[in-house]
Amino acid sequence: MPLVILLIAWPHMAKCQLAADDINSLSEELAFHINDNVFVTGEHMLVSYQCLNTSGDVSTISQVAYFELLDDSNRPVLQQKCVLKDGKGSTDIFLTRDLRSGIYTLIGYTRWMQNFSLKSIWQRSIVVHNPFRMLPSALFTSDTICKSEVTNPQYLEIAFENSTLPANNKSNVTLTVPSELVGDLVTVSVKKKSHLCIQNPIDIGKAQLLELSIEDIQYLPDYRGYLLSGQILDKGDVQLAGEQITLSFPGQPFSHQVTITDSAGFFYFNVPVIDMNRDFVVNVRNGLRFKIQDSFLEDHTFVSADQCKISEKSKTWLLQRSIESQIESAYREDERSIDNVIDQSMRPTFLKEPTTYLMDDYTRFPSMEDAIREFVQEVWVRKINDSAALLVPYLNNKSMDVGPALVMLNGIVVPAKVILQWKAADIESINVYSSQVRMGAHEYQGVIGFWTYSKSERLDQLPSTYRYFSGSTQPSRKLANVTDDQLKNERVPDFRQQLYWDAQLLLEKETTVEFYTSDNPGEYVVEIIGTNKGKFGLLATGTFEVVGESTE
């Protein structure tokens, strides 16, 4: 009895304790830096970010960062969820080729921040030029865009081997770091200096946050991953409690979860960080429908884009910038090898090694039922209550009694009848796992996994009870810097604007950064971005010039 009383009383104890604390001390802001302020469609906007609390220290409350790129009408054109590891992270946002030329605003926030004043959300304005769409004439002015230079602090010293560097040459820069910054993680960017300048100060003042109590909390933080929620309804919009819903991430490797709706028909999934940018499929009982509650903002009216103009003198530079970007995309898209940051080796093993049947090793039968009956020894095809079922023997059962199997197609849980109606010619392999598993309230004696040649679901062939969603507009990625091996064997046009990018460089007392210059002459800038004394922004900058061609 005392144990039961303790469990019942605990939620009330926690509520009273949290209400007594100053909840505003738990507020956070997402500070971020982008590698440039002008881009051409088809390029990647590189972003490094940190989640900070009211004291300026790194906040570890949230594990997911949300980014949205808004057009001049504050409508989101790109949205992306990104990982926050120990309060820090980096990503890139691919600027799709269907974007119009014009001014866009990037905003970043966390789910927990939505409980507080949205005016504290960071905003950055950028110019996006689509070579096939003209920039609006209203953006151009006869005056120069930079009327005053922002004074950048120099918290560490940047030294170049030479202030003038040859093109297409291995170079380095040395950072002399003060003792208070040794051991910090910073972002290092080496890029060509833009002729366009938008007044985007990196350090901004904090807005006055709302005074909140525990009753005002509407959004829980994404603490262990991404919180995916929604509501199950019938055709009459009646909320349904106790309904089972399955969330599947198709492809290899796959994963899935099962949950039951609460009394108001709501369901909640805590999506692992490594899955949150993947496409997913939701399965509910036939005749029901559901609504996904998106964690992105619904109202963007608080965003006020910077009023910026482009100098008429910059038209020629912008045209040249566009040509160079298109050449880079044509010649170096494959060589640059932009890698996924999702480490698939982190995924847990679902079951022990399966028995695998490669369909091409056997005589092709016209139907899946014939193929399973003929050569998949561990699987029995039966009819139960006039419905097709796939059964497997019980483990260590000499009498060969059989039980129901969990059937999956490319990682999606499907009824047996879906598989038996599938075209056998589309199936590459069948994996049979002889392990007892439990999913929701159901127990299965094994798992049968069917894989198509593409390893991704042909969603148009799924029944109407399966609904497809996109986890994000694009996966999180990182830029692979050019190396000596990529340059020594074959000379291709090299018009990179971004020579180097490292979003998490560990500072030592003396740190050396190596990079390769491109064939693109002009003035380049080195930026060191990090946190110092509770403020996120530029720690130091330095410039050098690239001239001529390589002498090697």
Side-chain angles (χ1 to χ4, degrees):
M1 180 63 71
L3 178 60
V4 175
I5 294 176
L6 177 61
L7 291 175
I8 294 175
W10 170 250
H12 302 284
M13 294 167 58
K15 181 176 179 179
C16 295
Q17 180 65 37
L18 186 57
D21 295 334
D22 180 10
I23 198 169
N24 285 277
S25 65
L26 301 176
S27 64
E28 57 189 15
E29 64 175 355
L30 188 70
F32 61 88
H33 174 80
I34 55 180
N35 64 317
D36 210 341
N37 54 22
V38 58
F39 297 91
V40 178
T41 53
E43 294 183 335
H44 294 262
M45 177 168 58
L46 306 177
V47 186
S48 65
Y49 48 90
Q50 293 188 14
C51 192
L52 307 174
N53 58 27
T54 53
S55 302
D57 299 322
V58 174
S59 172
T60 57
I61 295 177
S62 297
Q63 301 293 308
V64 177
Y66 296 82
F67 287 98
E68 298 189 61
L69 188 65
L70 311 178
D71 62 13
D72 53 4
S73 299
N74 282 351
R75 291 178 301 216
V77 294
L78 293 173
Q79 296 175 318
Q80 189 162 314
K81 300 183 293 287
C82 305
V83 176
L84 272 168
K85 186 177 181 180
D86 297 327
K88 302 178 181 180
S90 64
T91 186
D92 76 81
I93 298 176
F94 179 69
L95 301 174
T96 56
R97 290 177 171 83
D98 59 349
L99 293 178
R100 294 181 293 106
S101 297
I103 303 297
Y104 291 81
T105 304
L106 180 69
I107 63 174
Y109 55 91
T110 65
R111 181 181 173 91
W112 179 243
M113 286 173 60
Q114 297 182 48
N115 293 302
F116 303 88
S117 173
L118 294 179
K119 293 181 180 179
S120 63
I121 291 181
W122 278 39
Q123 306 175 23
R124 293 288 176 269
S125 294
I126 63 171
V127 175
V128 175
H129 176 48
N130 189 327
F132 303 100
R133 300 192 181 188
M134 296 295 294
L135 280 165
S137 58
L139 290 177
F140 290 96
T141 178
S142 57
D143 297 329
T144 58
I145 191 170
C146 289
K147 298 182 181 299
S148 61
E149 292 292 334
V150 177
T151 302
N152 295 319
Q154 299 292 128
Y155 293 112
L156 52 86
E157 181 182 343
I158 300 178
F160 302 96
E161 54 183 341
N162 200 319
S163 60
T164 302
L165 301 175
N168 191 242
N169 191 75
K170 186 176 182 179
S171 307
N172 65 72
V173 59
T174 302
L175 312 178
T176 303
V177 181
S179 57
E180 61 267 22
L181 294 180
V182 172
D184 286 356
L185 290 174
V186 298
T187 297
V188 179
S189 173
V190 183
K191 65 180 181 182
K192 191 173 184 181
K193 191 172 183 179
S194 298
H195 283 212
L196 304 184
C197 179
I198 301 175
Q199 299 303 324
N200 257 343
I202 290 185
D203 293 322
I204 64 172
K206 295 187 176 73
Q208 182 65 40
L209 299 178
L210 301 177
E211 293 294 329
L212 300 180
S213 65
I214 187 62
E215 288 78 11
D216 298 320
I217 299 299
Q218 299 182 30
Y219 303 95
L220 296 176
D222 297 305
Y223 185 67
R224 294 183 299 169
Y226 171 53
L227 187 63
L228 178 67
S229 61
Q231 192 175 29
I232 299 293
L233 304 168
D234 66 8
K235 294 182 179 179
D237 287 342
V238 176
Q239 303 164 352
L240 298 177
E243 286 289 335
Q244 178 171 292
I245 180 170
T246 303
L247 175 70
S248 300
F249 293 89
Q252 283 188 325
F254 67 89
S255 66
H256 67 274
Q257 299 183 41
V258 179
T259 191
I260 302 295
T261 56
D262 61 15
S263 58
F266 283 97
F267 62 86
Y268 302 90
F269 290 105
N270 193 73
V271 179
V273 169
I274 56 178
D275 279 333
M276 67 185 188
N277 277 311
R278 299 175 63 192
D279 297 334
F280 60 88
V281 175
V282 176
N283 171 230
V284 295
R285 183 164 53 88
N286 198 16
L288 303 183
R289 66 184 187 88
F290 59 88
K291 298 187 297 183
I292 293 289
Q293 292 182 320
D294 205 332
S295 294
F296 289 103
L297 297 179
E298 296 181 0
D299 183 11
H300 301 86
T301 55
F302 67 94
V303 176
S304 56
D306 290 342
Q307 298 299 315
C308 54
K309 297 288 185 178
I310 300 173
S311 171
E312 289 280 359
K313 298 179 181 179
S314 298
K315 280 186 175 181
T316 303
W317 171 83
L318 192 57
L319 175 61
Q320 183 63 27
R321 171 89 159 76
S322 174
I323 294 173
E324 292 169 352
S325 174
Q326 293 178 72
I327 293 174
E328 274 293 287
S329 297
Y331 278 92
R332 305 187 67 87
E333 187 69 23
D334 295 333
E335 288 85 349
R336 193 160 297 157
S337 180
I338 299 179
D339 304 315
N340 281 323
V341 299
I342 297 177
D343 184 2
Q344 301 291 7
S345 64
M346 294 173 58
R347 296 199 52 80
T349 301
F350 178 59
L351 292 167
K352 296 180 180 179
E353 288 297 320
T355 302
T356 301
Y357 295 87
L358 298 176
M359 298 289 281
D360 289 338
D361 292 344
Y362 301 86
T363 301
R364 284 282 182 176
F365 290 91
S367 70
M368 282 302 305
E369 181 174 350
D370 290 337
I372 294 172
R373 288 183 184 276
E374 289 298 327
F375 58 78
V376 184
Q377 301 177 7
E378 295 86 353
V379 179
W380 296 12
V381 182
R382 293 287 186 270
K383 279 192 174 182
I384 300 177
N385 298 327
D386 294 328
S387 180
L390 296 178
L391 310 176
V392 294
Y394 285 92
L395 288 175
N396 302 320
N397 186 358
K398 296 181 180 180
S399 64
M400 292 300 292
D401 291 338
V402 292
L406 177 65
V407 182
M408 310 186 80
L409 176 65
N410 288 349
I412 300 174
V413 179
V414 296
K417 65 179 181 180
V418 172
I419 290 296
L420 296 178
Q421 294 171 0
W422 208 265
K423 291 183 179 180
D426 291 340
I427 302 298
E428 180 186 28
S429 64
I430 302 174
N431 295 336
V432 182
Y433 300 84
S434 298
S435 299
Q436 194 176 63
V437 296
R438 183 182 295 275
M439 191 183 75
H442 301 285
E443 186 177 274
Y444 301 92
Q445 302 308 314
V447 180
I448 310 172
F450 295 82
W451 295 96
T452 61
Y453 283 95
S454 64
K455 299 295 186 298
S456 60
E457 189 48 69
R458 296 174 61 179
L459 298 164
D460 57 330
Q461 297 187 21
L462 284 176
S464 59
T465 52
Y466 293 80
R467 317 292 173 83
Y468 167 82
F469 290 88
S470 177
S472 179
T473 56
Q474 56 191 327
S476 301
R477 305 180 179 202
K478 62 181 178 181
L479 178 68
N481 293 306
V482 171
T483 64
D484 194 22
D485 292 336
Q486 293 171 299
L487 297 176
K488 67 182 180 181
N489 295 326
E490 181 182 3
R491 283 294 290 125
V492 296
D494 185 0
F495 291 107
R496 287 174 296 128
Q497 301 278 330
Q498 190 77 37
L499 301 184
Y500 183 88
W501 173 267
D502 189 340
Q504 295 203 0
L505 178 69
L506 182 64
L507 289 180
E508 300 177 353
K509 185 63 178 177
E510 189 169 277
T511 305
T512 301
V513 174
E514 292 186 347
F515 59 91
Y516 288 83
T517 58
S518 63
D519 294 328
N520 201 339
E523 188 178 12
Y524 286 75
V525 58
V526 176
E527 295 180 340
I528 313 297
I529 303 98
T531 304
N532 186 45
K533 298 179 180 179
K535 290 186 177 181
F536 177 84
L538 283 173
L539 298 179
T541 61
T543 59
F544 64 92
E545 187 176 4
V546 173
V547 296
E549 295 181 354
S550 174
T551 58
E552 297 181 0

